[in-house]
Amino acid sequence: MAAAENPAPVLSLQGVRLTYAHTPEQAVLQGVDLVVYAGEWVAVVGANGSGKSTLGRVAAGLLPVSAGRVQSPPPPGVQLVLQNPDAQGIGQTPLEDVCFGLTQLGVPPAAARQRALATLQAAGLADVANTPLERLSGGQRQLLATTAALAMHPRLIVLDEPTAMLDAAAAARLRAMVAAQQAHGVAVVWMTQRLAELAYASRVVALVAGQKVFDGTPRQFFYADPPALAGYTTSHPNPAQSAGGTPPALSPRPSLQPLSFCRQLGWTPPLPVQVAEALHSRGLCCGDKPLTAQELGECVARLRLAQSRQAAGGLDATLET
């Protein structure tokens, strides 16, 4: 869902800097500007120690900043899903956990129960609605934390590594739930180290050592466009493999092929992007710049169809002669 024309932002960070008392010389966040509108899905990517979790807590109003300005909805208009689901469980069962938040909003008990059961059903947790939380798997507890937050119908939801404990099917179910809320105008800030998850966002923000080094679309991040970004490289670690550090200095690198911003940071893009890059290097262009396996499959199918038509045209010309 695209943001409406000239809307008021749901979240606004201006020049945000944050330091802790025991290390005042080391900023966890450094001059971060970020504006998120209703219906936007902003994926924040970075290595461990890059400041993602801190940014999420600032956005949710849980951490005061050392400098700068933060505007976000007051609770319950903003909901934060922590990386550790055990830090958020309140009820003894999933049903109690979801109902607790709803009753705090003033939802009558019967209506809260009905709404909670519907949300748990959408999350695939209906069968364990009355199971003690300690008997749930880590993935089920993580899914429950997001389910409870979404049931509150917030204006802004901030999710910190929400799929870290989920298998592929559960992760897809969670993304579908978040996307459904996004379609109704909820703003989403999704913290991740998994570059493949950026494909589902409308915007990507990359953090390195507490600094925002990129803000644009997923395709702008993964593909070398505009060409002005070409010809540079860094040795900064892949976000899923290593901690943050000092921001990488872009250094010239002789290259006939332009580098995407992802590769300029030294990060390896998801497999569909790698395949599209390999096809492009062989003169086979995927003009729509695929981000997912499905989009890559559609691209390859079109390339094969074009090659078949070209071959058939060549055969027809031969027969005519």
Side-chain angles (χ1 to χ4, degrees), residues 214-296:
F214 178 87
D215 189 340
T217 69
R219 285 182 171 82
Q220 288 171 337
F221 183 72
F222 285 125
Y223 289 93
D225 184 24
L229 296 177
Y232 294 89
T233 185
T234 75
S235 58
H236 196 71
N238 199 56
Q241 297 172 349
S242 182
T246 57
L250 300 181
S251 57
R253 164 183 169 175
S255 175
L256 297 177
Q257 295 294 331
L259 289 179
S260 67
F261 205 96
C262 175
R263 289 199 179 275
Q264 288 185 52
L265 291 173
W267 299 348
T268 303
L271 185 59
V273 177
Q274 294 182 53
V275 174
E277 289 176 333
L279 290 172
H280 182 73
S281 69
R282 290 164 174 78
L284 301 171
C285 181
C286 290
D288 51 357
K289 300 177 181 177
L291 298 173
T292 66
Q294 179 178 344
E295 292 176 353
L296 177 64

Side-chain angles (χ1 to χ4, degrees), residues 29-65:
L29 295 176
Q30 306 183 54
V32 174
D33 296 319
L34 179 64
V35 176
V36 182
Y37 294 96
E40 275 197 299
W41 182 321
V42 178
V44 180
V45 64
N48 287 332
S50 62
K52 299 189 307 298
S53 296
T54 301
L55 180 64
R57 285 166 171 76
V58 168
L62 299 183
L63 278 179
V65 299

Side-chain angles (χ1 to χ4, degrees), residues 66-223:
S66 306
R69 185 178 180 186
V70 179
Q71 290 181 304
S72 64
V78 58
Q79 293 291 310
L80 171 65
V81 179
L82 299 172
Q83 187 173 359
N84 179 9
D86 295 334
Q88 291 188 259
I90 295 177
Q92 295 184 357
T93 68
L95 181 58
E96 288 184 9
D97 199 57
V98 179
C99 283
F100 176 84
L102 295 176
T103 56
Q104 297 305 299
L105 290 179
V107 179
R113 178 182 175 85
Q114 183 178 10
R115 188 157 137 188
L117 286 172
T119 309
L120 290 169
Q121 178 71 39
L125 295 173
D127 291 343
V128 295
N130 295 299
T131 301
L133 294 187
E134 60 268 19
R135 291 175 54 188
L136 300 182
S137 69
Q140 287 174 321
R141 291 196 297 273
Q142 189 170 47
L143 190 56
L144 172 62
T146 302
T147 301
L150 291 174
M152 303 286 281
H153 293 173
R155 294 178 59 208
L156 168 67
I157 184 166
V158 181
L159 304 109
D160 190 1
E161 303 281 358
T163 62
M165 300 181 184
L166 303 184
D167 60 24
R173 189 182 302 116
L174 183 145
R175 287 195 302 269
M177 293 172 60
V178 173
Q181 294 278 334
Q182 178 202 11
H184 286 89
V186 175
V188 179
V189 177
W190 180 288
M191 315 291 183
T192 187
Q193 296 185 45
R194 300 181 175 184
L195 294 180
E197 293 183 345
L198 306 189
Y200 306 100
S202 46
R203 277 171 57 205
V204 172
V205 169
L207 291 182
V208 175
Q211 296 186 32
K212 186 178 76 171
V213 297
F214 178 87
D215 189 340
T217 69
R219 285 182 171 82
Q220 288 171 337
F221 183 72
F222 285 125
Y223 289 93

